[in-house]
Amino acid sequence: MKTLIKGGTVVTAIDTVEADVLVDGEAVVALAAPGSHSWEDDADKVIDASGKLVVPGGIDPHTHMELPFGGTYASDTFETGSRAAAWGGTTTMVDFAVQVKGETMMDGYTNWMEKAAGNCAVDYGFHMIAGDINESSLKEMEQLVDLGVTSFKLFMAYPGVLYSDDGDILRAMQTAAGLDAMIMMHAENGIAIDVLREQAIARGETDPVYHSLTRPAITESEATHRAIVLSELAGVHLYVVHMSAKEAVAEIAEARDRGLPVFAETCPQYLFLSVEDHVSKPGFEGAKYVCSTPIRLRSEGHQEALWNGLATNDLQVVSTDHCPFCMDDHPTLGMQKKLGLGDFTAIPNGLPGVEDRYQLMYHGGVVGGRIDVNRWVEICSTAAAKMFGLYPKKGTIAVGSDADIVIFDPNAKWTKSVEQHHMFVDYSVYEGLEVQGKVETVMLRGKVIVDGDEYVGEKGDGQYLKRDTVSVHH
Amino acid sequence: MKTLIKGGTVVTAIDTVEADVLVDGEAVVALAAPGSHSWEDDADKVIDASGKLVVPGGIDPHTHMELPFGGTYASDTFETGSRAAAWGGTTTMVDFAVQVKGETMMDGYTNWMEKAAGNCAVDYGFHMIAGDINESSLKEMEQLVDLGVTSFKLFMAYPGVLYSDDGDILRAMQTAAGLDAMIMMHAENGIAIDVLREQAIARGETDPVYHSLTRPAITESEATHRAIVLSELAGVHLYVVHMSAKEAVAEIAEARDRGLPVFAETCPQYLFLSVEDHVSKPGFEGAKYVCSTPIRLRSEGHQEALWNGLATNDLQVVSTDHCPFCMDDHPTLGMQKKLGLGDFTAIPNGLPGVEDRYQLMYHGGVVGGRIDVNRWVEICSTAAAKMFGLYPKKGTIAVGSDADIVIFDPNAKWTKSVEQHHMFVDYSVYEGLEVQGKVETVMLRGKVIVDGDEYVGEKGDGQYLKRDTVSVHH
Amino acid sequence: MKTLIKGGTVVTAIDTVEADVLVDGEAVVALAAPGSHSWEDDADKVIDASGKLVVPGGIDPHTHMELPFGGTYASDTFETGSRAAAWGGTTTMVDFAVQVKGETMMDGYTNWMEKAAGNCAVDYGFHMIAGDINESSLKEMEQLVDLGVTSFKLFMAYPGVLYSDDGDILRAMQTAAGLDAMIMMHAENGIAIDVLREQAIARGETDPVYHSLTRPAITESEATHRAIVLSELAGVHLYVVHMSAKEAVAEIAEARDRGLPVFAETCPQYLFLSVEDHVSKPGFEGAKYVCSTPIRLRSEGHQEALWNGLATNDLQVVSTDHCPFCMDDHPTLGMQKKLGLGDFTAIPNGLPGVEDRYQLMYHGGVVGGRIDVNRWVEICSTAAAKMFGLYPKKGTIAVGSDADIVIFDPNAKWTKSVEQHHMFVDYSVYEGLEVQGKVETVMLRGKVIVDGDEYVGEKGDGQYLKRDTVSVHH
Amino acid sequence: MKTLIKGGTVVTAIDTVEADVLVDGEAVVALAAPGSHSWEDDADKVIDASGKLVVPGGIDPHTHMELPFGGTYASDTFETGSRAAAWGGTTTMVDFAVQVKGETMMDGYTNWMEKAAGNCAVDYGFHMIAGDINESSLKEMEQLVDLGVTSFKLFMAYPGVLYSDDGDILRAMQTAAGLDAMIMMHAENGIAIDVLREQAIARGETDPVYHSLTRPAITESEATHRAIVLSELAGVHLYVVHMSAKEAVAEIAEARDRGLPVFAETCPQYLFLSVEDHVSKPGFEGAKYVCSTPIRLRSEGHQEALWNGLATNDLQVVSTDHCPFCMDDHPTLGMQKKLGLGDFTAIPNGLPGVEDRYQLMYHGGVVGGRIDVNRWVEICSTAAAKMFGLYPKKGTIAVGSDADIVIFDPNAKWTKSVEQHHMFVDYSVYEGLEVQGKVETVMLRGKVIVDGDEYVGEKGDGQYLKRDTVSVHH
């Protein structure tokens, strides 16, 4: 099966080229100057990309399908969530297998492999949430790297649940360093935050907005600083997830200037949402925007600092931390966000985004004049591919790479809404936002799975990705 | 004329791909998976690149052929120097036209266009050294941008010669900002340095080493800081040339973290040479290494900081500042370095390097484990192309780009020496250095001009490049 | 003649003590626990200081009496200005002798000694404004140090007038270093500012507010950074005058953290006034607040940074830069501020303050809760004494020190106004400001010169102070 | 009882004055110009201080007499240790009462009050080591403040022993903030350090030097950074004890530049000792120098940074952390340092110093040219007095202050040795060091307790000091 994508502008993280792309089977086999080769005759299928951008499929390295959290589960299954990802132009997601206290890492791996198997619309891999660091689980890390799980996430937040203390973190980092694996960090001082939460509740401050207000920016930057120091002791690659505080970006920038292999991602919600405009909405509306790290105060200047970090490469990746919970009752799981009515500490942490990211970053980044198209591709696809051992199969359009390709209309204008999206959740955090730039066609390893607004793939198109170790130095 | 480069590993600033490259006329027209297309049959010429890297031709954005300096001229003409560049894998050089006091910028442009015309082995463009900022020359800047001279170099060093004061600099920056042109800066506090030089001579400190010692690192970082502040006032893109001090790198890093469009280059001599090992050699030997900014003290840690800056992208480009002067008499120009016997202030500033750069950076960077091959290509070619309006014609191997291609043997080992090099100068600053990685074949717009160690091009192969304005944001 | 000051609270830069103070002749001869000694019997005069603070006379190390500037002279003579100083609790002022281009430093010294001789109400010394650095004037510096002029002020502002270039600055710094003298610096990039001024005028921006707007904060911090670097090259003590920009304070803080002997002062006008509230007043009102460095934008946060700098000792001294010009015609000198009607660049730079400082700093600092009484005494008296070689005669109340003593009522409330002040100028920049804390009695070397609101001294009470070199290390 | 100290040079933190000092009973009642008053006739005792410095008695705010640690007790009792303090010119010590897990703070207070009662040669107070933070102990803090224990020490080191987690620290800080009390912090990341210690032992690295090597500098600076952030959240005064790492000093400097009320002390051992010269001595000799934070690598530049911090006031206090253990068996307590033969983790942490400090800081600081005499007095006495609520009784020589006075010979030269010192421990860490400056006479509240090298006081001369809260703002 050969497909010719003709007449488009191929954009990679470095190049912007007028070129025809020839796909054979699952891979890109050739690129050529438009009209220079008569591939059309030979192709099974020809897609006209005139006036469109031809970009690598998005890579979302931070999703939580079906995640158990706070007595319920994230509302998107691997099936519904991965299909929404496809609609949004994301052809690879890296989800988190979870080792809970008392389990082995292999338990977590097996459980999550089973949940995903046969259900995904896009290719997928797993990071391992290391929820129980001990002699035995440290030994399992090598086995997991062999299975393609080459990154391990630790939590400085959520004491008593997923929290690791600095000793466990250091041990896990040392082990990861020996395996050339990546350490991912949820960097918030959860121990201090828990004191603030308890005191807020004691004062009767129970509304959703207090979720944000009891997680001050310096609790994130403190943990980021500490994670960097521990990673320096261990000599390991560190990747700080869902960064939202300008003070934390400054810690990353300082470490990177010193040459440490330290990285960080942010998410669209931190670039577009704020306490003032969203979390502090009256009644329980703010619960829609409850996630951790929290949405922060616009007046403190975090959004500008995050955009600047993306432009300056102090932030390397935009992920989603997709972890949706319904505001109204979930059809099978019952109460979700409402578990926290009257007590913000019981609101499940998380919000939907896997479908929004690639398009939203074009709108805010490229249309907004903050980054160019190459950088857009880099932060939404290429950087994550290199960071998480998916390159060169994923993250680029090049000879030999997987034909994960998005045809993107840079001029289309539309309005974001729960009515329009496909994630299994009953609200959009971007409801009513008018954006420019739209995914038109999505190809996964040579097969078109989204055509216009129609999903034309099949359940189980997505394959498990055995990932390599990190292939970027800085 | 079609050429097929087959079996090699194509390396760009982002991708590393096994691919055949099809060149038609002057451009790359296609890349394809090895063996996927029977282009061989159709090709006029087939080059076997098996086991080799296929990389974009190098871009050296800082050369000074035939530069008048201190009573003599740089010893390489456009003919000899550009041919040496070719041998070293550099297919584009951007030299500096000079407006001296009392001339118009157009005078400088015309003079240098004439010197280069018909003589160059590689493609070339010009920056303009703005040596006389006034109402009238500021107006000329637009005209020069139209002619493809889109970058203007100013000197904070060399009072009374090329020096501009902060007012002239600010005016030139403001004008450049309006034209979207780049300001290049020789950042040394020449006024302060002149005091130190005069005092050294008065104390009888006349040896070449005092050239380095009278230009302390903080005179470079001070000027860098000042140039950044002036560029911030003007809102202009700033590119600091030949950075050699760690304190200056820190200034650039800090400005970039804040999001300012500030850039800097370093040169191989600052990464490989030191006062201790080179400039302080007995007798007049140190004169070989006299250049400005100076070679610095190894013990102060500048080399590590510069390598770190290249890895972290606080430094974006490696150029050569090629400006050779003979130690013994030049056949036609007479005394060169020896003009400064007994008075280091009379030694012409500059050293040879245009042939060494691409290979040396592979050796020190990639073989040395400091950067990967993509970053090597980026700092030696791609970044300069984007910085100076040459992209996408230059700086990459992509469909539609100029077929400026180097076939590079990553394993060849050899020894650098004046015996081996082709620059018109009677010494090598890297004499005896054993290196790994060698240019094998060089193609300029589809024509092979270096084949093995043999130059097979013709005088005048190189064309003038009308450059666009800067196409990189950060 | 013996005077006993009894029942007060003696405050020095370090101690707060209930003590009687015995003055004999010109000096303090003893302090004792209240009532412990029957000095009353023996005293010629007894002053009851119950409920009052007994503090060292203020030292204002930055005044400009009768300064020629922009075609006129500062409106206060040594007689009127020094008397106003006395009313304000300042018993020592250090004014600036001026060497203009073409003169020797000794010319400047002689001229200013003559202006002051026999006219001053308070003790006085001189700094030397080095307006013509050359071989001969550098040699004069030693002579001036011997005459008690141990500090030399240079200007990075005012090109063509008092401006020195970096070479002259470096030479003067090196010479001062050898003499253990202090370099004072007006740190603004005057060359860049002149471009901005000229461009503003060309755009028709002629109102007083453009004086502030054409001197952006980073032109001050740039010059501060440069002055620090030059002082580091020379190994000299550096004191930056009238600091008003938060970015400049940051430069000082960074240098001091590194251990450099770098110091800075600010003035009350920068702590209390702003562009928004004062300089941008309609019509020509803003001219009242035209001084350099300029009053800055409140919204940029400079005031908070300056107060913080005073609290953290990143700023060590509060002076006044007293340099008044009348808004209406001066009785003998004619037009002053009005010289700049229709052209802000012709407004004489400066404003009155010598009488306001000590009291205002108590109000804003101590009553405002930003500093304690010891720090108030330190920044208004002790620090300047040590910085400028006046200690231990001046700057403290201790056995053997000059009996320059202010009895200060910490609770008195009053309103500042031109009606109330004694400076020879027709407006107050603090008109209508309600303050707490008032000078009640002022003693100069044992003689009461202000009693209540009445001046009871005589012309010529003040003596010339032959100053020693700096006696503070950091 | 009246004593006249005549002819000396009285030095305080700000003044250096030739003055006679009159002591009546326990307090200073007057200072006078030499010979101005005929106090001699009336005095019970006259001390001739000609040619000597008359300085406030030293204040050592960090001692551990009889501290239980690692299965033994510090070898100095309150009796022997406080007498050694007196010999060293220290007239006030603040020791640490210890609340261990399971006890109330009042238990700790009572125990330590009993240990000290009637035994001390110098005045003493207590900080409280908060070893068990809970609802009930937090409530006790107010009671302790009322009893004069106004500072609370927490440990980020020593997990399982005195360690508090960040939540306990935050709670204690918030409570302290409400009481205007000071939080003292042992800032080392003990959790991470324990991992490194365990791994070192597992590798067979058991010698004393590994004590230092398993506590890298960044584990101290990390904890310092974290303590600062937590103090910022709580709005409390923070005082970091025994700082030894240059990176930690940088954290303090940065926080202070921002205006936070953050303070730190260092100790002589960090200024004079190093891993290279001391801890790495062959055999078990290095155990003499085992303390925490550890003695660090000279080559890393910590000593210079600490001296610079003292000069720049980024460090405010020099204490001793006096906590001696015998190398050979203690007469009654048996094995001390030797408990750690073959296992550095079992070496009791601590070394002697209470007698050395005041003299050593004169030698290293004043004679060494790093600070002046006023700063010497400030860091050894005045700053601690203000920091810990002892001022104005302690920390100065002023009318009304306690007559705690040291007569110090600035020229005496002698050699430090265990033979010469009076601390109850069988070695000196400064053995053989030749120093200049010697305590000659020590007066405690008007009573001479050390005269020449003879102790002339009585057991129990020292009184308990009910301390006030902090009286310094920055």
Side-chain angles (χ1 to χ4, degrees), chain C residues 139-151:
Chain C
K139 290 210 183 78
E140 286 181 285
M141 287 172 69
E142 182 166 6
Q143 185 180 358
L144 283 154
V145 167
D146 290 342
L147 292 166
V149 178
T150 57
S151 39

Side-chain angles (χ1 to χ4, degrees), chain A residues 14-15 29 31 33 257 386 391, chain B residues 14-15 29 33 257 386 391:
Chain A
I14 201 79
D15 286 319
V29 290
L31 294 102
D257 286 346
K386 295 200 164 188
Y391 184 86
Chain B
I14 200 80
D15 286 319
V29 289
D257 286 346
K386 293 200 166 191
Y391 183 87

Side-chain angles (χ1 to χ4, degrees), chain A residues 387-415:
Chain A
M387 202 81 79
F388 294 111
L390 295 165
Y391 184 86
K393 284 289 180 199
K394 307 295 188 186
T396 192
I397 296 180
V399 168
S401 67
D402 281 357
D404 295 350
I405 296 175
V406 169
I407 299 174
F408 191 88
D409 182 345
N411 299 312
K413 295 188 181 182
W414 53 294
T415 302

Side-chain angles (χ1 to χ4, degrees), chain A residues 233-440:
Chain A
L233 282 175
V236 76
H237 285 76
L238 172 70
Y239 176 96
V240 181
V241 296
H242 50 52
M243 187 157 280
S244 66
K246 68 174 188 292
E247 293 87 348
V249 179
E251 296 286 352
I252 294 288
E254 190 272 343
R256 289 176 59 78
D257 286 346
R258 287 197 289 133
L260 294 178
V262 166
F263 309 91
E265 66 175 26
T266 188
C267 309
Q269 53 267 35
Y270 304 117
L271 297 164
F272 286 87
L273 309 179
S274 69
V275 168
E276 289 91 334
D277 296 333
H278 301 91
V279 195
S280 65
K281 282 186 181 171
F284 194 62
E285 271 295 279
K288 289 178 176 173
Y289 315 100
V290 165
C291 58
S292 297
T293 63
I295 305 301
R296 301 203 175 277
L297 288 157
R298 186 169 25 74
S299 59
E300 291 179 348
H302 302 290
Q303 291 184 4
E304 290 75 7
L306 293 169
W307 278 114
N308 188 54
L310 288 170
T312 64
N313 203 34
D314 287 327
L315 299 174
Q316 297 76 40
V317 170
V318 173
S319 74
T320 64
D321 194 12
H322 177 76
C323 191
F325 298 97
C326 294
M327 282 293 278
D328 283 324
D329 286 2
H330 184 283
T332 59
L333 300 165
M335 279 213 291
Q336 298 213 309
K337 286 286 187 186
K338 283 187 184 161
L339 289 163
L341 264 170
D343 177 2
F344 75 85
T345 69
I347 303 172
N349 281 205
L351 52 77
V354 75
E355 187 174 350
D356 305 315
R357 184 185 63 121
Y358 212 171
Q359 303 173 109
L360 211 48
M361 291 310 298
Y362 185 84
H363 176 72
V366 181
V367 179
R370 290 160 172 134
I371 53 175
D372 62 21
V373 285
N374 306 110
R375 182 68 184 151
W376 168 59
V377 167
E378 188 167 27
I379 61 179
C380 291
S381 180
T382 318
K386 295 200 164 188
M387 202 81 79
F388 294 111
L390 295 165
Y391 184 86
K393 284 289 180 199
K394 307 295 188 186
T396 192
I397 296 180
V399 168
S401 67
D402 281 357
D404 295 350
I405 296 175
V406 169
I407 299 174
F408 191 88
D409 182 345
N411 299 312
K413 295 188 181 182
W414 53 294
T415 302
K416 297 193 69 63
S417 167
V418 63
E419 304 299 328
Q420 161 277 338
H421 79 205
H422 307 84
M423 299 177 285
F424 195 90
V425 64
D426 57 358
Y427 71 94
S428 167
V429 295
Y430 308 108
E431 190 67 39
L433 182 69
E434 296 178 14
V435 296
Q436 178 182 333
K438 196 165 190 325
V439 168
E440 198 174 273

Side-chain angles (χ1 to χ4, degrees), chain D residues 356 360 412-421 428 430-438:
Chain D
D356 305 314
L360 213 47
K413 295 189 181 182
W414 54 293
T415 302
K416 296 192 71 62
S417 168
V418 63
E419 304 301 325
Q420 162 276 336
H421 79 205
S428 167
Y430 307 110
E431 189 66 38
L433 182 70
E434 296 177 15
V435 297
Q436 178 183 333
K438 195 163 192 326

Side-chain angles (χ1 to χ4, degrees), chain B residues 4-86:
Chain B
L4 176 64
I5 301 169
K6 56 172 289 196
T9 302
V10 178
V11 179
T12 70
I14 200 80
D15 286 319
T16 308
V17 173
E18 307 301 309
D20 295 344
V21 180
L22 186 63
V23 173
D24 190 358
E26 299 199 331
V28 172
V29 289
L31 295 102
S36 67
H37 290 74
S38 43
W39 288 336
E40 206 153 348
D41 311 341
D42 193 31
D44 301 286
K45 181 184 176 82
V46 176
I47 301 176
D48 182 3
S50 305
K52 307 291 160 55
L53 305 183
V54 180
V55 296
I59 299 177
D60 187 342
H62 193 152
T63 66
H64 293 291
M65 304 304 167
E66 314 181 22
L67 181 78
F69 191 103
T72 182
Y73 289 80
S75 61
D76 256 323
T77 61
F78 277 90
E79 183 181 351
T80 62
S82 67
R83 217 162 47 207

Side-chain angles (χ1 to χ4, degrees), chain D residues 190-246:
Chain D
I191 304 282
I193 286 170
D194 270 12
V195 172
L196 300 178
R197 283 157 68 89
E198 177 187 291
Q199 293 173 338
I201 292 294
R203 285 191 299 265
E205 299 168 351
T206 59
D207 284 348
V209 71
Y210 292 104
H211 174 78
S212 281
L213 301 183
T214 54
R215 308 181 92 86
I218 57 176
T219 60
E220 181 184 344
S221 59
E222 183 285 310
T224 301
H225 179 269
R226 184 155 34 105
I228 292 167
V229 168
L230 293 169
S231 78
E232 194 174 357
L233 283 174
V236 76
H237 285 74
L238 172 69
Y239 177 96
V240 181
V241 296
H242 50 53
M243 186 157 282
S244 66
K246 67 175 189 291

Side-chain angles (χ1 to χ4, degrees), chain C residues 13-18 22 29-33 37 39 256-259 308 311-312 314 374 386 391 396 398-399 474, chain D residues 13-18 22 29-33 37 39 256-259 308 311-312 314 374 386 391 396 398-399 474:
Chain C
I14 200 80
D15 287 318
T16 308
V17 174
E18 307 301 310
L22 184 64
V29 289
L31 294 102
H37 289 74
W39 290 336
R256 289 177 58 79
D257 286 346
R258 287 198 288 132
N308 187 54
T312 64
D314 287 327
N374 306 110
K386 294 200 164 190
Y391 184 87
T396 192
V399 168
H474 202 267
Chain D
I14 200 79
D15 287 319
T16 306
V17 173
E18 307 301 309
L22 184 64
V29 290
L31 295 101
H37 290 74
W39 288 335
R256 288 176 58 80
D257 286 346
R258 286 198 289 131
N308 188 53
T312 64
D314 287 327
N374 306 111
K386 294 200 165 188
Y391 183 87
T396 192
V399 167
H474 200 270

